[in-house]
Amino acid sequence: MPLTDFFARKPEFEIFALETADLPQAAAIHKSRFTHAWSDGELHSLLIQDTVFGFIARQNNAYTRPFITQPFVGGFVLSRVAAGEAEILTIGVDPRFSRLGLGWRLMRAALREARDQAAEAVFLEVDETNAAAIALYRKLGFAKVGERRAYYQGVNGVKTGALVMRLDLG
């Protein structure tokens, strides 16, 4: 382990409501995680809908270094609620901040908000090859309720299936 690791502070994040000013950073994270990334304009067209909400994780201890002028965004989640059901539209965590629990915290914020908006169940789709995301969703209590074959297309043209997962909030 390099000596510098002993002097580096672990990044700390707080969860905030996603706002339009956050969308360029959210789009950059989405691009780093998904083959078919959504632009900040596409994210904006979703976020301005009455039924859509989201959260963002911002590093709150980044200002300890004088050359950093704004906090790092570690991840975001975008969701919607309609007719008593919620859907996780997308979630992404910056690869630099993987395995710090940000996905868990972002999902918990989205689930709380969905419950507050009277959703009885939450649905999501996940690439069947994304073992880390599937493990997170299962840990949160989601269960597989369906499949969509050849739903996602990778960079190399290989298609993978999507698992449809559900969590009852009742």
Side-chain angles (χ1 to χ4, degrees):
M1 177 182 295
L3 185 59
T4 56
D5 288 352
F6 292 106
F7 299 107
R9 288 183 65 191
K10 190 174 186 178
E12 298 169 9
F13 290 88
E14 288 186 51
I15 308 298
F16 296 94
L18 183 66
E19 298 177 358
T20 55
D22 301 317
L23 296 178
Q25 292 170 303
I29 291 170
H30 203 268
K31 184 177 182 179
S32 74
R33 289 297 196 176
F34 295 94
T35 304
H36 299 288
W38 295 350
S39 69
D40 55 338
E42 290 168 309
L43 293 172
H44 183 265
S45 68
L46 288 166
L47 188 60
I48 62 171
Q49 296 175 25
D50 291 338
T51 59
V52 176
F53 60 90
F55 295 94
I56 196 155
R58 285 195 200 105
Q59 189 176 359
N60 63 4
N61 66 343
Y63 293 110
T64 58
R65 292 175 235 134
F67 59 89
I68 295 176
T69 58
Q70 61 183 6
F72 291 114
V73 171
F76 77 103
V77 62
L78 195 63
S79 309
R80 81 169 128 218
V81 172
E85 292 182 348
E87 178 184 10
I88 302 299
L89 298 170
T90 190
I91 180 171
V93 173
D94 186 312
R96 296 175 295 175
F97 304 115
S98 292
R99 316 268 329 141
L100 295 179
L102 291 182
W104 172 269
R105 292 177 61 200
L106 289 162
M107 285 294 295
R108 296 288 298 165
L111 296 175
R112 262 190 312 275
E113 181 63 24
R115 189 175 287 115
D116 289 350
Q117 292 191 28
E120 296 173 8
V122 181
F123 292 87
L124 59 82
E125 294 167 351
V126 60
D127 189 315
E128 66 187 358
T129 65
N130 191 341
I134 294 167
L136 169 65
Y137 302 144
R138 285 191 174 136
K139 186 176 176 183
L140 286 163
F142 281 84
K144 178 184 158 189
V145 293
E147 271 185 64
R148 293 194 168 104
R149 297 193 189 282
Y151 188 74
Y152 296 107
Q153 184 167 339
V155 178
N156 56 4
V158 174
K159 292 189 175 195
T160 58
L163 303 182
V164 179
M165 301 183 84
R166 175 188 172 125
L167 173 67
D168 290 323
L169 296 176

